[in-house]
Amino acid sequence: GDSVTQMEGPVTLSEEAFLTINCTYTATGYPSLFWYVQYPGEGLQLLLKATKADDKGSNKGFEATYRKETTSFHLEKGSVQVSDSAVYFCALRGRGGSQGNLIFGKGTKLSVKP
Amino acid sequence: EPEVTQTPSHQVTQMGQEVILRCVPISNHLYFYWYRQILGQKVEFLVSFYNNEISEKSEIFDDQFSVERPDGSNFTLKIRSTKLEDSAMYFCASSERQLGLGYTFGSGTRLTVV
């Protein structure tokens, strides 16, 4: 079945460092891909999305490109801030069967130090 | 910005007891979902609900689970006889359309079964 694998955390970076959180997926067809973020004490918030190959999702300085050839959707940010400290979840939604349901990775905790 | 509200934020219950987790979805949303995350593991789909009936459920959602929309605003998840392994963070979500990309999650209820 469909699945998402993302890099294990925690990831600790200094402010202004470059961030990459790897995400790869297994799915039949062409899923939609998402990154969600969970700040401490809050719910899951949609950070960015991409619905087809080569699409780039971007928001708040974060970017991720839908790479069909490598089945990846890596999250990047050029210069992280302390306020980016959160847990980041990669997710997909398939186009067959369970079309409304999200399949998540385990989440990667990011801590940014001043 | 509209929110999905979950109560309580944390519930502790004894094994074998019934618990009801409550959610107030966004008022004009039509599709409702429950997900859970066991500590350190993936966020997993439990059930989706539309038009006052379950539209899809996962293998996790067995006979001890039930969902209900008792009035026009609440969406509840009942666990009939809790087990230790039900301890998890439970997330409610709602969306305007099943195939839409706009999922809104609540901040979760942490259920601890002792």
Side-chain angles (χ1 to χ4, degrees), chain A residues 25-45:
Chain A
Y25 67 90
T26 302
T28 52
Y30 302 92
S32 296
L33 302 173
F34 306 84
W35 277 99
Y36 280 81
V37 59
Q38 185 180 29
Y39 298 103
E42 299 185 18
L44 295 166
Q45 299 175 24

Side-chain angles (χ1 to χ4, degrees), chain A residues 3-5 32 34 36 38 41-44 46 49 51 89 93 97-102 104-106, chain B residues 33 35 37 40-45 47-48 56 89 91 98-108:
Chain A
S3 66
V4 173
T5 303
S32 296
F34 306 84
Y36 280 81
Q38 185 180 29
E42 299 185 18
L44 295 166
L46 179 64
K49 63 183 185 290
T51 57
F89 295 90
R93 186 170 65 215
S98 308
Q99 293 187 353
N101 311 329
L102 294 171
F104 285 88
K106 280 192 177 183
Chain B
Y33 310 86
Y35 286 78
Q37 185 184 29
Q41 298 188 25
K42 297 185 180 188
V43 178
E44 301 169 295
F45 167 73
V47 65
S48 58
E56 188 157 5
M89 180 73 88
F91 293 104
Q98 183 185 28
L99 298 183
L101 298 177
Y103 251 66
T104 303
F105 281 88
S107 56

